[in-house]
Amino acid sequence: MAAPRVPRPAVLRHRLHVQELDRAPGSVHDLADVAVLDAGVQDTGPDGALWALALRGLDVRAGAWPDGLALAWTVRGAPHAYRREDLPDVERALRPWSSQDAAQRVFDASRPLRAAGIDPRDALATAARTMHAVVRVPTVKGDVSTAMTARLPEPYLRWCRPCATTHMYEQTFRLAALHAGLELTPGTSPPVLRPVPGWPDDAVGRTDAPAPGGRHDLVRTAVRLLGPTTPRLVAAFLDAPVRDVTARWPDDVADVDVDGEPRQVLAADVDALGEATTPARPAVVRLLGPFDLYLQARDRDLLVPDAARRSALWPTLGRPGAVLRDGEVVGTWRPRARGRRLALELDPWEPWDAATRAAVDAEHERLAAFRGVAPA
């Protein structure tokens, strides 16, 4: 039987729904009820993870980090927020799946390691054990780096021209931190690392990856939150080898056809995907942050078919936020702070009707309230 065809707008509405962007503001009070925390919420940009969580209905404000929320360097070496109670499971899920996977995660650090006969998995384990010994109290990143450089041999180190000094390769440093039982202190710049309370010593530097599946499995959460998708797209999202992603692909998936391309979605989500063919009324409008999970999917040509608009939304430096309406990106936005007032610089990609403009105004007020200022 042929795979059911799913139109592009339905894919976008489905992602909007499974990522819970259609929830009412302030309607969620329990971190356990926020699905994207299973995958981690990237904390990059002025509003970061807390705004992404607010967009999904969680009652949070800028700078007021909930006690049950923890921050760690994880996927792609970026800081991500998780439920604090989940950190041990997240660490296990993040262990490299193969030598090639570890090499791809640490990027240019893999070449000198392999030249010295060091498996990149073993390098991450060594870096984690060393970092665990170094950081016994909250410590600023630069001091941790100095101590690590003094303790690690040459294959772990590089000359950094901007810093005019020798230190660890950045990705190895970042990715080793959670395996060392370390988290980031929210709101610190430069970052401050600190021990995760109660972290078991026997978990430090472990490289035995868990079996596929589970709540925090990187592949499964990507299929659930960014589907319908393919192993190639998930591998690009995770910076992982396609072969390893394919080996960990969920068994409980269903085939669909998205604009002539075969993709898969979790079987449990097939009905919801079918229901997404009907537009929501009124349309859900959100001001997504530049690194929101919705914008992290690697099928950017599906998210934004026009090449010029893709370039505007994902420039090399200085990404704007996205104005989302019914799953469709219909423009970009940038915050413009003016004292205790917040203005927005808007770039509509098409004429907005009165309902869209009113919804954007409401989201502007919501963002200002989140920041504790007034809209300008």
mmCIF file of all heavy atoms in Angstrom, residues 139-178:
data_model
loop_
_atom_site.group_PDB
_atom_site.id
_atom_site.type_symbol
_atom_site.label_atom_id
_atom_site.label_comp_id
_atom_site.label_asym_id
_atom_site.label_seq_id
_atom_site.Cartn_x
_atom_site.Cartn_y
_atom_site.Cartn_z
ATOM 1 N N THR A 139 33.220 27.189 39.200
ATOM 2 C CA THR A 139 34.469 27.703 38.654
ATOM 3 C C THR A 139 34.234 28.293 37.277
ATOM 4 O O THR A 139 33.569 27.672 36.433
ATOM 5 C CB THR A 139 35.529 26.576 38.548
ATOM 6 O OG1 THR A 139 35.639 25.899 39.814
ATOM 7 C CG2 THR A 139 36.882 27.138 38.168
ATOM 8 N N VAL A 140 34.773 29.477 37.039
ATOM 9 C CA VAL A 140 34.589 30.131 35.752
ATOM 10 C C VAL A 140 35.314 29.334 34.661
ATOM 11 O O VAL A 140 36.350 28.698 34.919
ATOM 12 C CB VAL A 140 35.087 31.588 35.820
ATOM 13 C CG1 VAL A 140 36.612 31.640 35.924
ATOM 14 C CG2 VAL A 140 34.616 32.380 34.625
ATOM 15 N N LYS A 141 34.777 29.358 33.459
ATOM 16 C CA LYS A 141 35.294 28.534 32.368
ATOM 17 C C LYS A 141 36.782 28.739 32.132
ATOM 18 O O LYS A 141 37.527 27.776 31.921
ATOM 19 C CB LYS A 141 34.519 28.834 31.081
ATOM 20 C CG LYS A 141 34.992 28.022 29.883
ATOM 21 C CD LYS A 141 34.364 28.476 28.586
ATOM 22 C CE LYS A 141 34.926 27.707 27.400
ATOM 23 N NZ LYS A 141 34.466 28.253 26.100
ATOM 24 N N GLY A 142 37.262 29.980 32.140
ATOM 25 C CA GLY A 142 38.664 30.241 31.876
ATOM 26 C C GLY A 142 39.587 29.553 32.867
ATOM 27 O O GLY A 142 40.646 29.027 32.487
ATOM 28 N N ASP A 143 39.203 29.524 34.133
ATOM 29 C CA ASP A 143 40.022 28.860 35.149
ATOM 30 C C ASP A 143 39.999 27.347 34.954
ATOM 31 O O ASP A 143 41.009 26.667 35.171
ATOM 32 C CB ASP A 143 39.529 29.224 36.549
ATOM 33 C CG ASP A 143 39.782 30.687 36.894
ATOM 34 O OD1 ASP A 143 40.611 31.321 36.209
ATOM 35 O OD2 ASP A 143 39.133 31.196 37.828
ATOM 36 N N VAL A 144 38.841 26.821 34.572
ATOM 37 C CA VAL A 144 38.759 25.381 34.283
ATOM 38 C C VAL A 144 39.668 25.043 33.102
ATOM 39 O O VAL A 144 40.419 24.060 33.125
ATOM 40 C CB VAL A 144 37.310 24.958 33.972
ATOM 41 C CG1 VAL A 144 37.255 23.457 33.652
ATOM 42 C CG2 VAL A 144 36.387 25.288 35.125
ATOM 43 N N SER A 145 39.614 25.872 32.071
ATOM 44 C CA SER A 145 40.426 25.639 30.883
ATOM 45 C C SER A 145 41.910 25.659 31.212
ATOM 46 O O SER A 145 42.682 24.804 30.736
ATOM 47 C CB SER A 145 40.111 26.702 29.830
ATOM 48 O OG SER A 145 40.896 26.519 28.672
ATOM 49 N N THR A 146 42.343 26.606 32.031
ATOM 50 C CA THR A 146 43.746 26.692 32.415
ATOM 51 C C THR A 146 44.185 25.430 33.147
ATOM 52 O O THR A 146 45.264 24.870 32.879
ATOM 53 C CB THR A 146 43.985 27.925 33.297
ATOM 54 O OG1 THR A 146 43.661 29.101 32.559
ATOM 55 C CG2 THR A 146 45.431 27.999 33.766
ATOM 56 N N ALA A 147 43.360 24.956 34.063
ATOM 57 C CA ALA A 147 43.699 23.751 34.827
ATOM 58 C C ALA A 147 43.710 22.518 33.926
ATOM 59 O O ALA A 147 44.576 21.640 34.071
ATOM 60 C CB ALA A 147 42.703 23.562 35.963
ATOM 61 N N MET A 148 42.769 22.440 32.989
ATOM 62 C CA MET A 148 42.721 21.305 32.070
ATOM 63 C C MET A 148 43.944 21.288 31.167
ATOM 64 O O MET A 148 44.528 20.236 30.898
ATOM 65 C CB MET A 148 41.447 21.376 31.239
ATOM 66 C CG MET A 148 40.160 21.227 32.028
ATOM 67 S SD MET A 148 39.852 19.548 32.582
ATOM 68 C CE MET A 148 39.375 18.773 31.041
ATOM 69 N N THR A 149 44.333 22.445 30.681
ATOM 70 C CA THR A 149 45.502 22.539 29.799
ATOM 71 C C THR A 149 46.756 22.046 30.514
ATOM 72 O O THR A 149 47.619 21.394 29.911
ATOM 73 C CB THR A 149 45.693 23.991 29.329
ATOM 74 O OG1 THR A 149 44.526 24.400 28.606
ATOM 75 C CG2 THR A 149 46.902 24.131 28.431
ATOM 76 N N ALA A 150 46.873 22.338 31.790
ATOM 77 C CA ALA A 150 48.048 21.912 32.556
ATOM 78 C C ALA A 150 48.069 20.404 32.781
ATOM 79 O O ALA A 150 49.145 19.822 32.992
ATOM 80 C CB ALA A 150 48.074 22.633 33.900
ATOM 81 N N ARG A 151 46.919 19.748 32.705
ATOM 82 C CA ARG A 151 46.837 18.325 33.058
ATOM 83 C C ARG A 151 46.772 17.393 31.852
ATOM 84 O O ARG A 151 47.022 16.195 31.996
ATOM 85 C CB ARG A 151 45.603 18.073 33.937
ATOM 86 C CG ARG A 151 45.661 18.771 35.285
ATOM 87 C CD ARG A 151 44.456 18.415 36.122
ATOM 88 N NE ARG A 151 44.467 19.099 37.416
ATOM 89 C CZ ARG A 151 43.978 18.572 38.533
ATOM 90 N NH1 ARG A 151 43.456 17.362 38.522
ATOM 91 N NH2 ARG A 151 44.018 19.248 39.666
ATOM 92 N N LEU A 152 46.417 17.913 30.682
ATOM 93 C CA LEU A 152 46.214 17.050 29.526
ATOM 94 C C LEU A 152 47.403 17.099 28.573
ATOM 95 O O LEU A 152 48.047 18.150 28.429
ATOM 96 C CB LEU A 152 44.941 17.460 28.781
ATOM 97 C CG LEU A 152 43.629 17.180 29.516
ATOM 98 C CD1 LEU A 152 42.463 17.812 28.764
ATOM 99 C CD2 LEU A 152 43.406 15.675 29.691
ATOM 100 N N PRO A 153 47.680 15.995 27.872
ATOM 101 C CA PRO A 153 48.807 15.968 26.939
ATOM 102 C C PRO A 153 48.497 16.688 25.628
ATOM 103 O O PRO A 153 47.348 17.060 25.354
ATOM 104 C CB PRO A 153 49.033 14.473 26.706
ATOM 105 C CG PRO A 153 47.699 13.851 26.950
ATOM 106 C CD PRO A 153 47.059 14.668 28.042
ATOM 107 N N GLU A 154 49.486 16.814 24.801
ATOM 108 C CA GLU A 154 49.429 17.629 23.596
ATOM 109 C C GLU A 154 48.273 17.301 22.644
ATOM 110 O O GLU A 154 47.678 18.234 22.090
ATOM 111 C CB GLU A 154 50.755 17.528 22.849
ATOM 112 C CG GLU A 154 50.829 18.424 21.621
ATOM 113 C CD GLU A 154 52.187 18.359 20.948
ATOM 114 O OE1 GLU A 154 53.130 17.829 21.572
ATOM 115 O OE2 GLU A 154 52.310 18.849 19.807
ATOM 116 N N PRO A 155 47.923 16.023 22.384
ATOM 117 C CA PRO A 155 46.850 15.765 21.406
ATOM 118 C C PRO A 155 45.504 16.391 21.770
ATOM 119 O O PRO A 155 44.647 16.541 20.900
ATOM 120 C CB PRO A 155 46.763 14.232 21.385
ATOM 121 C CG PRO A 155 48.110 13.767 21.817
ATOM 122 C CD PRO A 155 48.561 14.768 22.845
ATOM 123 N N TYR A 156 45.316 16.761 23.027
ATOM 124 C CA TYR A 156 44.058 17.369 23.465
ATOM 125 C C TYR A 156 44.066 18.892 23.306
ATOM 126 O O TYR A 156 43.038 19.537 23.509
ATOM 127 C CB TYR A 156 43.797 17.046 24.941
ATOM 128 C CG TYR A 156 43.494 15.600 25.217
ATOM 129 C CD1 TYR A 156 44.510 14.651 25.325
ATOM 130 C CD2 TYR A 156 42.183 15.161 25.389
ATOM 131 C CE1 TYR A 156 44.237 13.322 25.583
ATOM 132 C CE2 TYR A 156 41.894 13.833 25.659
ATOM 133 C CZ TYR A 156 42.931 12.913 25.749
ATOM 134 O OH TYR A 156 42.649 11.593 25.998
ATOM 135 N N LEU A 157 45.237 19.451 22.958
ATOM 136 C CA LEU A 157 45.410 20.898 23.029
ATOM 137 C C LEU A 157 45.684 21.496 21.655
ATOM 138 O O LEU A 157 46.137 20.812 20.740
ATOM 139 C CB LEU A 157 46.574 21.234 23.976
ATOM 140 C CG LEU A 157 46.547 20.567 25.351
ATOM 141 C CD1 LEU A 157 47.813 20.902 26.122
ATOM 142 C CD2 LEU A 157 45.307 20.983 26.134
ATOM 143 N N ARG A 158 45.413 22.778 21.542
ATOM 144 C CA ARG A 158 45.702 23.489 20.289
ATOM 145 C C ARG A 158 46.110 24.927 20.607
ATOM 146 O O ARG A 158 45.764 25.468 21.664
ATOM 147 C CB ARG A 158 44.474 23.495 19.373
ATOM 148 C CG ARG A 158 43.331 24.368 19.882
ATOM 149 C CD ARG A 158 42.154 24.344 18.930
ATOM 150 N NE ARG A 158 41.042 25.177 19.385
ATOM 151 C CZ ARG A 158 40.888 26.455 19.078
ATOM 152 N NH1 ARG A 158 41.791 27.068 18.316
ATOM 153 N NH2 ARG A 158 39.857 27.135 19.521
ATOM 154 N N TRP A 159 46.813 25.524 19.667
ATOM 155 C CA TRP A 159 47.139 26.949 19.779
ATOM 156 C C TRP A 159 45.950 27.751 19.277
ATOM 157 O O TRP A 159 45.457 27.544 18.172
ATOM 158 C CB TRP A 159 48.380 27.290 18.969
ATOM 159 C CG TRP A 159 48.616 28.775 18.872
ATOM 160 C CD1 TRP A 159 48.374 29.574 17.800
ATOM 161 C CD2 TRP A 159 49.116 29.632 19.897
ATOM 162 N NE1 TRP A 159 48.691 30.877 18.084
ATOM 163 C CE2 TRP A 159 49.151 30.950 19.382
ATOM 164 C CE3 TRP A 159 49.541 29.423 21.213
ATOM 165 C CZ2 TRP A 159 49.593 32.033 20.120
ATOM 166 C CZ3 TRP A 159 49.979 30.520 21.951
ATOM 167 C CH2 TRP A 159 50.008 31.793 21.407
ATOM 168 N N CYS A 160 45.460 28.651 20.119
ATOM 169 C CA CYS A 160 44.300 29.474 19.767
ATOM 170 C C CYS A 160 44.783 30.878 19.435
ATOM 171 O O CYS A 160 45.243 31.615 20.318
ATOM 172 C CB CYS A 160 43.309 29.506 20.925
ATOM 173 S SG CYS A 160 41.872 30.558 20.629
ATOM 174 N N ARG A 161 44.687 31.247 18.169
ATOM 175 C CA ARG A 161 45.168 32.558 17.758
ATOM 176 C C ARG A 161 44.396 33.708 18.420
ATOM 177 O O ARG A 161 45.001 34.667 18.909
ATOM 178 C CB ARG A 161 45.105 32.673 16.230
ATOM 179 C CG ARG A 161 45.765 33.941 15.682
ATOM 180 C CD ARG A 161 45.660 33.979 14.167
ATOM 181 N NE ARG A 161 46.335 32.850 13.551
ATOM 182 C CZ ARG A 161 47.633 32.825 13.267
ATOM 183 N NH1 ARG A 161 48.385 33.873 13.558
ATOM 184 N NH2 ARG A 161 48.174 31.762 12.705
ATOM 185 N N PRO A 162 43.028 33.663 18.457
ATOM 186 C CA PRO A 162 42.311 34.783 19.098
ATOM 187 C C PRO A 162 42.682 34.965 20.564
ATOM 188 O O PRO A 162 42.754 36.101 21.054
ATOM 189 C CB PRO A 162 40.834 34.389 18.933
ATOM 190 C CG PRO A 162 40.810 33.474 17.760
ATOM 191 C CD PRO A 162 42.089 32.713 17.827
ATOM 192 N N CYS A 163 42.918 33.839 21.271
ATOM 193 C CA CYS A 163 43.259 33.933 22.692
ATOM 194 C C CYS A 163 44.753 34.111 22.915
ATOM 195 O O CYS A 163 45.188 34.421 24.031
ATOM 196 C CB CYS A 163 42.805 32.673 23.432
ATOM 197 S SG CYS A 163 41.013 32.401 23.412
ATOM 198 N N ALA A 164 45.543 33.853 21.850
ATOM 199 C CA ALA A 164 47.002 33.911 21.947
ATOM 200 C C ALA A 164 47.523 33.008 23.052
ATOM 201 O O ALA A 164 48.409 33.377 23.837
ATOM 202 C CB ALA A 164 47.470 35.349 22.153
ATOM 203 N N THR A 165 46.938 31.792 23.110
ATOM 204 C CA THR A 165 47.365 30.840 24.131
ATOM 205 C C THR A 165 47.029 29.432 23.660
ATOM 206 O O THR A 165 46.329 29.239 22.666
ATOM 207 C CB THR A 165 46.692 31.130 25.479
ATOM 208 O OG1 THR A 165 47.282 30.315 26.491
ATOM 209 C CG2 THR A 165 45.199 30.834 25.419
ATOM 210 N N THR A 166 47.512 28.458 24.389
ATOM 211 C CA THR A 166 47.202 27.051 24.114
ATOM 212 C C THR A 166 46.128 26.578 25.090
ATOM 213 O O THR A 166 46.246 26.804 26.306
ATOM 214 C CB THR A 166 48.465 26.179 24.262
ATOM 215 O OG1 THR A 166 49.421 26.575 23.273
ATOM 216 C CG2 THR A 166 48.139 24.714 24.077
ATOM 217 N N HIS A 167 45.094 25.939 24.561
ATOM 218 C CA HIS A 167 44.076 25.357 25.436
ATOM 219 C C HIS A 167 43.391 24.199 24.721
ATOM 220 O O HIS A 167 43.720 23.867 23.579
ATOM 221 C CB HIS A 167 43.069 26.405 25.908
ATOM 222 C CG HIS A 167 42.385 27.165 24.811
ATOM 223 N ND1 HIS A 167 41.589 26.571 23.857
ATOM 224 C CD2 HIS A 167 42.369 28.493 24.518
ATOM 225 C CE1 HIS A 167 41.107 27.481 23.042
ATOM 226 N NE2 HIS A 167 41.575 28.673 23.414
ATOM 227 N N MET A 168 42.425 23.576 25.391
ATOM 228 C CA MET A 168 41.723 22.431 24.816
ATOM 229 C C MET A 168 40.918 22.838 23.592
ATOM 230 O O MET A 168 40.491 23.997 23.456
ATOM 231 C CB MET A 168 40.741 21.843 25.844
ATOM 232 C CG MET A 168 41.360 20.982 26.910
ATOM 233 S SD MET A 168 40.052 20.286 27.955
ATOM 234 C CE MET A 168 39.219 19.199 26.773
ATOM 235 N N TYR A 169 40.663 21.866 22.731
ATOM 236 C CA TYR A 169 39.696 22.072 21.665
ATOM 237 C C TYR A 169 38.326 22.323 22.294
ATOM 238 O O TYR A 169 37.925 21.647 23.249
ATOM 239 C CB TYR A 169 39.629 20.846 20.760
ATOM 240 C CG TYR A 169 40.806 20.726 19.815
ATOM 241 C CD1 TYR A 169 42.009 20.157 20.233
ATOM 242 C CD2 TYR A 169 40.712 21.180 18.501
ATOM 243 C CE1 TYR A 169 43.089 20.046 19.363
ATOM 244 C CE2 TYR A 169 41.787 21.072 17.623
ATOM 245 C CZ TYR A 169 42.971 20.503 18.068
ATOM 246 O OH TYR A 169 44.039 20.398 17.197
ATOM 247 N N GLU A 170 37.629 23.303 21.753
ATOM 248 C CA GLU A 170 36.399 23.779 22.391
ATOM 249 C C GLU A 170 35.331 22.706 22.511
ATOM 250 O O GLU A 170 34.697 22.550 23.562
ATOM 251 C CB GLU A 170 35.850 24.977 21.611
ATOM 252 C CG GLU A 170 34.591 25.595 22.215
ATOM 253 C CD GLU A 170 34.827 26.281 23.542
ATOM 254 O OE1 GLU A 170 35.999 26.576 23.882
ATOM 255 O OE2 GLU A 170 33.839 26.525 24.256
ATOM 256 N N GLN A 171 35.086 21.944 21.433
ATOM 257 C CA GLN A 171 34.006 20.961 21.490
ATOM 258 C C GLN A 171 34.318 19.842 22.475
ATOM 259 O O GLN A 171 33.414 19.366 23.175
ATOM 260 C CB GLN A 171 33.726 20.392 20.101
ATOM 261 C CG GLN A 171 32.950 21.333 19.197
ATOM 262 C CD GLN A 171 31.549 21.618 19.713
ATOM 263 O OE1 GLN A 171 31.317 22.601 20.424
ATOM 264 N NE2 GLN A 171 30.599 20.775 19.361
ATOM 265 N N THR A 172 35.555 19.402 22.537
ATOM 266 C CA THR A 172 35.910 18.379 23.520
ATOM 267 C C THR A 172 35.668 18.900 24.931
ATOM 268 O O THR A 172 35.138 18.179 25.791
ATOM 269 C CB THR A 172 37.382 17.965 23.360
ATOM 270 O OG1 THR A 172 37.652 17.650 21.997
ATOM 271 C CG2 THR A 172 37.700 16.759 24.223
ATOM 272 N N PHE A 173 36.042 20.140 25.173
ATOM 273 C CA PHE A 173 35.838 20.762 26.484
ATOM 274 C C PHE A 173 34.353 20.774 26.841
ATOM 275 O O PHE A 173 33.947 20.337 27.924
ATOM 276 C CB PHE A 173 36.398 22.185 26.445
ATOM 277 C CG PHE A 173 36.329 22.917 27.754
ATOM 278 C CD1 PHE A 173 37.423 22.939 28.609
ATOM 279 C CD2 PHE A 173 35.184 23.613 28.125
ATOM 280 C CE1 PHE A 173 37.380 23.629 29.813
ATOM 281 C CE2 PHE A 173 35.129 24.304 29.325
ATOM 282 C CZ PHE A 173 36.229 24.313 30.180
ATOM 283 N N ARG A 174 33.543 21.264 25.911
ATOM 284 C CA ARG A 174 32.113 21.398 26.209
ATOM 285 C C ARG A 174 31.430 20.044 26.384
ATOM 286 O O ARG A 174 30.651 19.843 27.321
ATOM 287 C CB ARG A 174 31.422 22.181 25.087
ATOM 288 C CG ARG A 174 31.761 23.663 25.060
ATOM 289 C CD ARG A 174 31.033 24.374 23.938
ATOM 290 N NE ARG A 174 31.264 25.817 23.996
ATOM 291 C CZ ARG A 174 30.310 26.729 23.893
ATOM 292 N NH1 ARG A 174 29.053 26.360 23.710
ATOM 293 N NH2 ARG A 174 30.592 28.006 23.954
ATOM 294 N N LEU A 175 31.701 19.123 25.463
ATOM 295 C CA LEU A 175 30.987 17.846 25.493
ATOM 296 C C LEU A 175 31.413 16.969 26.660
ATOM 297 O O LEU A 175 30.653 16.100 27.089
ATOM 298 C CB LEU A 175 31.195 17.106 24.168
ATOM 299 C CG LEU A 175 30.576 17.794 22.948
ATOM 300 C CD1 LEU A 175 30.926 17.045 21.673
ATOM 301 C CD2 LEU A 175 29.061 17.906 23.091
ATOM 302 N N ALA A 176 32.605 17.202 27.198
ATOM 303 C CA ALA A 176 33.046 16.409 28.343
ATOM 304 C C ALA A 176 32.373 16.843 29.640
ATOM 305 O O ALA A 176 32.314 16.068 30.605
ATOM 306 C CB ALA A 176 34.561 16.518 28.492
ATOM 307 N N ALA A 177 31.850 18.057 29.678
ATOM 308 C CA ALA A 177 31.402 18.634 30.950
ATOM 309 C C ALA A 177 30.290 17.822 31.612
ATOM 310 O O ALA A 177 30.387 17.485 32.799
ATOM 311 C CB ALA A 177 30.958 20.076 30.741
ATOM 312 N N LEU A 178 29.230 17.491 30.889
ATOM 313 C CA LEU A 178 28.148 16.738 31.530
ATOM 314 C C LEU A 178 28.608 15.333 31.882
ATOM 315 O O LEU A 178 28.215 14.779 32.914
ATOM 316 C CB LEU A 178 26.912 16.694 30.630
ATOM 317 C CG LEU A 178 25.679 16.030 31.272
ATOM 318 C CD1 LEU A 178 25.274 16.742 32.558
ATOM 319 C CD2 LEU A 178 24.506 15.987 30.305
#
